[in-house]
């Protein structure tokens, strides 16, 4: 058994996502090793590191899309290995995920895509709620547009709207500004900061250091870095 | 006011993209299978009726065949009739005349056979009473009174015919079962192909918290409706084809009797229901097992 590394993030108290001495590999050598992290409610984290370092893999571990090769991943006080497939689905409703490629159903209009989490959960879809949400992300005029017709920025904002429609406790964003210009990146960051002020826990994987610096000027953040398979606190330059 | 598309708020199969032109293949295959199943069912029912008819026709009759020198034939025939008239369980017995024997042999030898010049055995037709008679006892009495008389109770013919008809009936039902199994296999393959083609859709649904049951339902409903719809079409065409078959006649009675009678016409109507059930179970099983593997 590996020696437990010191958990980053929140050292004590309630945590929503807890990784304890986690390792992961895709069949070869470990991509991540001895990774520990506690995400407390209301915290704002950035995850950075070079391409291929394992940022996306780390996020997938955080919402149960991948299972750790070793160590323990706990989501809302439940070990992911103990969760049935249905329980995992219910857990994912508490975690909003914004993917780099957004992942929409291309045959459905934006309105249906944003409302999809409510639909699959069997909850009543309130038209006004979706309209408010689309207005909040600046897409109120595109409710009937199909995802392929949206620009990169519009898709990212739509993905954020879909991620928050269930009122999740945690929002995980994987390179959310990867395809956006600076102005659009700032707009998306502003939305995420606003969500954090509403009490949501945010974890953003990005290699955009300027975005991180911009966020630090607005909200208290911790910056984590994946380097040499380990998760570390980033230096003071960030 | 913003409204979600109805397709999203009803049964959930709108989350899966339309299947395009390949969708009709499942329907067409289900139709073809149902069409064949109608015929297999008709075959099974007709075979059952045939087995019963043959058994009933031969069960209450028997024949005594008297082979004797010409000068003794009349004497032995009289003796046989006397024995038969005193045998309990036999309601009637009569010797066939030349014209009747001529008619029996006509299909093989033609109408101009000079029967009077041939040493043919005399046939005596027996009609059995409802209580039946003692076959072994009758044989012994005939042997004693008329040594050239042989009792033929038709069991030689009846049993193989009835057995053949019974086997044909079993084959008919087996065919219906195999058609159902083939339909299940076909729908399973189609469902798996659809799941594989929509792996990205499934991934998105899992990402936003959809349970396996919700995802499977989208595919199950679609394939169940296709199977049922196709089976309806195939059943209607199959029943129409059976309906226009020639009416049953004595000559070639099996082929012309291949159809449904009375309430039997209701049986094919179960095929779409069975097809829907097969479609539902096959797709649900395939979906849930595939979902466990691909997500």
């Amino acid at each position: 058994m590996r020696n437990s590394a010191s958990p980053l993030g929140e050292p004590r108290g309630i945590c929503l996502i807890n990784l304890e001495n986690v390792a992961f590999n895709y069949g070869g050598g470990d991509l991540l090793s001895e990774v520990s992290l506690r995400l407390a409610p209301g915290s704002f984290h950035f995850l950075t590191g070079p391409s291929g370092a394992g940022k996306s893999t780390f996020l997938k571990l955080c919402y149960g899309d991948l299972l750790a090769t070793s160590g323990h991943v706990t989501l809302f006080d439940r070990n992911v290995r103990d969760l049935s497939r249905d329980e995992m689905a219910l857990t994912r409703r508490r975690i909003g995920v914004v993917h780099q490629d957004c992942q929409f159903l291309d045959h459905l209009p934006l309105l249906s895509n944003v409302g999809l989490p409510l639909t699959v959960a069997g909850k009543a879809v309130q038209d006004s709620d979706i309209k408010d949400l689309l207005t909040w992300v600046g897409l109120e005029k595109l409710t009937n547009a199909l995802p392929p017709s949206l620009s990169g920025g519009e898709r990212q904002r739509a993905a954020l709207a879909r991620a928050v429609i269930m009122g999740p406790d945690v929002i995980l964003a994987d390179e959310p500004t990867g395809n956006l210009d600076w102005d659009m990146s700032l707009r998306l960051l502003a939305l995420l900061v606003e969500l954090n002020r509403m009490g949501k826990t945010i974890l953003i994987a990005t290699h955009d250091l300027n975005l991180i610096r911009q966020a630090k000027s607005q909200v208290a953040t911790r910056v984590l870095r994946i380097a040499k398979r380990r998760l570390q606190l980033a230096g003071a330059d960030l | 006011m913003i409204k979600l598309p109805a397709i999203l708020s009803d049964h959930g199969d709108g989350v899966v993209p339309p299947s395009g032109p390949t969708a009709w293949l499942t329907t067409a295959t289900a139709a073809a299978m149902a069409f064949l199943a109608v015929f297999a069912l008709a075959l099974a029912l007709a075979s059952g009726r045939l087995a019963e008819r043959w058994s009933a026709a031969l069960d209450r009759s028997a024949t005594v065949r008297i082979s004797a020198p010409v000068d003794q034939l009349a004497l032995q025939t009289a003796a046989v009739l006397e024995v038969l008239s005193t045998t309990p369980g036999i309601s009637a017995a009569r010797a066939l005349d030349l014209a009747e024997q001529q008619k029996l042999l006509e299909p093989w030898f033609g109408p101009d056979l000079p029967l009077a010049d041939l040493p043919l055995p005399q046939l005596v037709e027996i009609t059995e009473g409802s209580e039946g008679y003692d076959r072994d006892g009758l044989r012994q009495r005939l042997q004693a009174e008329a040594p050239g008389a042989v009792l033929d109770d038709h069991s030689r013919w009846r049993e193989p015919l009835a057995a053949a008809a019974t086997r044909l009936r079993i084959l008919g039902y087996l065919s219906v079962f195999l058609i159902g199994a083939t339909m299940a296999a076909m729908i399973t393959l189609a469902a798996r192909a659809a799941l594989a083609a929509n792996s990205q859709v499934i991934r998105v649904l899992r990402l936003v918290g959809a349970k396996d049951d919700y995802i499977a339902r989208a595919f199950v409903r679609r394939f169940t409706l296709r199977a049922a719809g196709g089976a309806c079409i195939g059943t209607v065409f199959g029943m129409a084809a059976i309906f226009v078959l020639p009416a049953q006649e004595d000559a070639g009675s099996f082929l012309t009797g291949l159809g449904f009678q009375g309430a039997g016409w209701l049986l094919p109507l179960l095929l779409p229901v069975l097809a829907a059930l097969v479609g539902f179970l096959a797709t649900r099983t395939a979906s849930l097992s595939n979902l466990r593997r691909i997500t």
Side-chain angles (χ1 to χ4, degrees):
Chain A
M1 190 169 177
R2 293 171 191 274
N3 291 327
S4 182
S6 301
L8 297 173
E10 202 67 28
R12 288 191 187 84
I14 301 168
C15 74
L16 306 178
I17 296 176
N18 184 23
L19 283 75
E20 192 177 324
N21 206 24
V22 163
F24 182 82
N25 67 65
Y26 284 103
D30 279 352
L31 179 64
L32 298 172
S33 179
E34 294 183 16
V35 169
S36 296
L37 174 71
R38 296 168 64 89
L39 281 185
S43 60
F44 198 123
H45 288 79
F46 278 101
L47 177 65
T48 187
S51 295
K55 297 191 294 294
S56 297
T57 298
F58 180 86
L59 288 188
K60 287 178 178 178
L61 289 167
C62 287
Y63 64 89
D65 196 33
L66 293 174
L67 291 178
T69 313
S70 65
H72 299 285
V73 177
T74 307
L75 306 179
F76 307 104
D77 295 327
R78 295 286 306 275
N79 190 319
V80 291
R81 290 187 182 281
D82 297 335
L83 296 175
S84 67
R85 290 177 62 81
D86 280 354
E87 287 172 333
M88 179 56 78
L90 295 175
T91 300
R92 283 182 184 163
R93 293 175 190 174
R94 300 180 65 184
I95 303 173
V97 181
V98 181
H99 270 274
Q100 186 175 9
D101 58 0
C102 301
Q103 298 193 352
F104 290 113
L105 301 182
D106 288 346
H107 66 291
L108 294 179
L110 186 58
L111 182 74
S112 303
N113 269 290
V114 171
L116 195 60
L118 293 171
T119 306
V120 302
K123 293 190 174 181
V125 179
Q126 299 294 330
D127 298 345
S128 55
D129 288 347
I130 300 180
K131 187 178 179 182
D132 288 348
L133 199 52
L134 287 172
T135 302
W136 178 65
V137 295
L139 298 175
E140 68 277 11
K141 293 178 181 173
L142 295 171
T143 54
N144 293 317
L146 293 175
S149 69
L150 301 178
S151 69
E154 289 165 344
R155 287 170 67 85
Q156 292 290 359
R157 281 182 282 153
L160 181 60
R162 186 183 65 185
V164 301
I165 197 166
M166 289 287 284
D169 301 301
V170 181
I171 295 164
L172 306 176
D174 188 4
E175 300 283 5
T177 60
N179 299 319
L180 307 183
D181 59 33
W182 180 242
D183 286 343
M184 191 56 70
S185 297
L186 289 180
R187 185 166 180 180
L188 197 71
L189 177 65
L191 294 174
L192 289 164
V193 168
E194 194 176 331
L195 285 167
N196 179 246
R197 286 175 180 152
M198 291 163 62
K200 308 296 182 191
T201 302
I202 311 283
L203 173 58
I204 303 172
T206 182
H207 60 267
D208 187 343
L209 302 184
N210 288 329
L211 186 77
I212 296 172
R213 291 190 187 102
Q214 186 66 31
K216 289 185 82 168
S217 67
Q218 301 177 39
V219 67
T221 67
R222 285 174 184 267
V223 183
L224 310 170
R225 187 201 311 268
I226 296 177
K228 296 179 182 176
R229 298 177 290 145
R230 309 294 172 88
L231 187 66
Q232 311 164 344
L233 271 174
D237 57 321
L238 290 174
Chain B
M1 178 161 175
I2 300 170
K3 286 189 77 68
L4 276 182
I7 202 164
L8 259 187
S9 54
D10 53 18
H11 304 286
D13 60 348
V15 297
V16 181
S19 307
T22 57
W24 70 271
L25 283 173
T26 310
T27 306
T29 310
M33 292 293 174
F35 187 84
L36 294 175
V38 169
F39 277 89
L41 194 58
L43 173 71
L45 293 176
S47 304
R49 287 197 302 272
L50 194 65
E52 286 168 13
R53 196 163 64 236
W54 281 345
S55 294
L58 296 173
D59 196 31
R60 296 288 171 193
S61 69
T63 307
V64 175
R65 188 176 67 250
I66 306 164
S67 301
V70 177
D71 57 333
Q72 293 181 22
L73 195 58
L75 196 65
Q76 289 204 22
T77 302
V80 166
L81 289 171
E82 177 61 25
V83 168
L84 293 175
S85 67
T86 58
T87 302
I90 290 179
S91 62
R94 68 180 187 86
L96 268 61
D97 60 24
L98 274 181
E100 288 173 306
Q101 297 207 56
Q102 179 95 38
K103 195 176 174 186
L104 286 174
L105 294 172
E106 195 176 292
W108 287 273
F109 298 106
D112 301 326
L113 186 68
L115 276 187
D117 300 336
L118 295 174
L120 290 176
Q122 172 66 53
L123 298 179
V124 175
E125 185 183 80
I126 299 172
T127 304
E128 188 179 335
S130 57
E131 70 274 27
Y133 63 92
D134 175 10
R135 284 171 172 74
D136 291 337
L138 179 58
R139 281 197 177 93
Q140 288 173 4
R141 289 181 65 200
L142 287 173
Q143 197 171 20
E145 302 290 333
V150 175
L151 173 66
D152 180 1
D153 62 2
H154 300 160
S155 59
R156 260 188 320 140
W157 300 97
R158 186 174 64 228
E159 288 167 8
L161 284 174
T166 302
R167 287 195 195 107
L168 208 53
R169 176 167 50 181
I170 293 170
L171 278 177
Y173 287 128
L174 184 63
S175 300
V176 174
F177 173 76
L178 287 176
I179 288 168
T182 306
M183 190 188 291
M186 177 273 300
I187 292 173
T188 299
L189 287 174
R192 286 189 174 170
L195 286 160
N198 288 292
S199 59
Q200 177 61 21
V201 171
I202 292 168
R203 184 160 183 73
V204 172
L205 291 173
R206 288 289 296 171
L207 178 72
V208 299
K211 294 181 180 178
D212 284 353
D213 197 53
Y214 178 90
I215 301 170
R217 203 160 57 226
F219 291 92
V220 167
R221 184 170 183 273
R222 183 172 288 192
F223 280 92
T224 301
L225 288 177
R226 283 177 193 165
C232 280
I233 296 168
T235 300
V236 167
F237 276 96
M239 289 175 73
I242 293 284
F243 183 75
V244 298
L245 280 177
Q248 184 173 344
E249 295 170 1
D250 287 340
S253 61
F254 176 66
L255 285 178
T256 56
L258 184 64
F260 302 107
Q261 289 181 358
W265 281 100
L266 297 176
L267 274 181
L269 300 179
L270 292 176
L271 290 174
V273 180
L274 289 176
L277 189 64
V278 165
F280 174 82
L281 293 175
T283 316
R284 184 167 173 79
T285 306
S287 300
L288 291 177
S289 78
N290 265 38
L291 284 172
R292 285 187 198 103
R293 276 190 278 125
I294 66 177
T295 57

